[in-house]
Amino acid sequence: MTENPTTEDKTWRVRILDLSGGAEDNIVEEVGGFHDLAHANAFARTYVRDSMERCRVPGASAKDVLTAWFSFGEDAVVLEAGEDGWKSANELDDFAATRATPMERDWRMLDPRRMVEDEEDLPEDTSSPDDEDDIPTTH
């Protein structure tokens, strides 16, 4: 008998696909380390939103933006999420019709690789309660 991993035990992965066909099997990379499906879905959505905006040129219609994205953009798929995974097809028309805000495009803030790197870059807290005497004060 095999056990199915619970949502708490699972880490989620998002596959980035190059729609221009420039990568082998159209796979650019897989991003892992998402500890819940909501985080993976948000990353995938934001990544595609940014890709769509990179395909937008001044004066382009929504159809032009969508055509450019299908030719040069990148899609994102949440692996092993089934029907619960975010699907770009559900929002492409809205993305093409409406310009994204900077926040809607900031997939880097959701990237779990960045979160690990940021934690590794933090200086160790070497202060102790005794160090309070070393803080300069003004009188």
Side-chain angles (χ1 to χ4, degrees), residues 95-111:
F95 287 178
T98 308
R99 186 174 296 276
T101 66
M103 183 184 228
E104 291 172 316
R105 297 181 64 179
D106 195 0
W107 57 267
R108 290 166 188 87
M109 290 303 296
L110 298 169
D111 193 331

Side-chain angles (χ1 to χ4, degrees), residues 37 41 78 81-87 90:
L37 181 56
N41 281 338
V78 181
E83 292 300 315
D84 294 326
W86 179 81
K87 309 278 188 293
N90 296 338

Side-chain angles (χ1 to χ4, degrees), residues 22-51:
E24 185 177 326
D25 296 328
N26 291 349
I27 299 170
V28 174
E29 67 180 316
E30 284 187 10
V31 180
F34 299 95
H35 293 289
D36 60 42
L37 181 56
H39 185 195
N41 281 338
F43 174 85
R45 182 180 193 276
T46 306
Y47 193 94
V48 170
R49 190 76 164 114
D50 182 58
S51 177

Side-chain angles (χ1 to χ4, degrees), residues 54-99:
R54 286 183 279 121
C55 293
R56 189 182 305 276
V57 296
S61 68
K63 182 180 177 189
D64 294 338
V65 173
L66 199 54
T67 299
W69 183 77
F70 275 114
S71 297
F72 307 108
E74 293 178 324
D75 199 359
V77 177
V78 181
L79 300 177
E80 301 176 15
E83 292 300 315
D84 294 326
W86 179 81
K87 309 278 188 293
S88 62
N90 296 338
E91 294 193 79
L92 290 178
D93 289 337
D94 289 337
F95 287 178
T98 308
R99 186 174 296 276

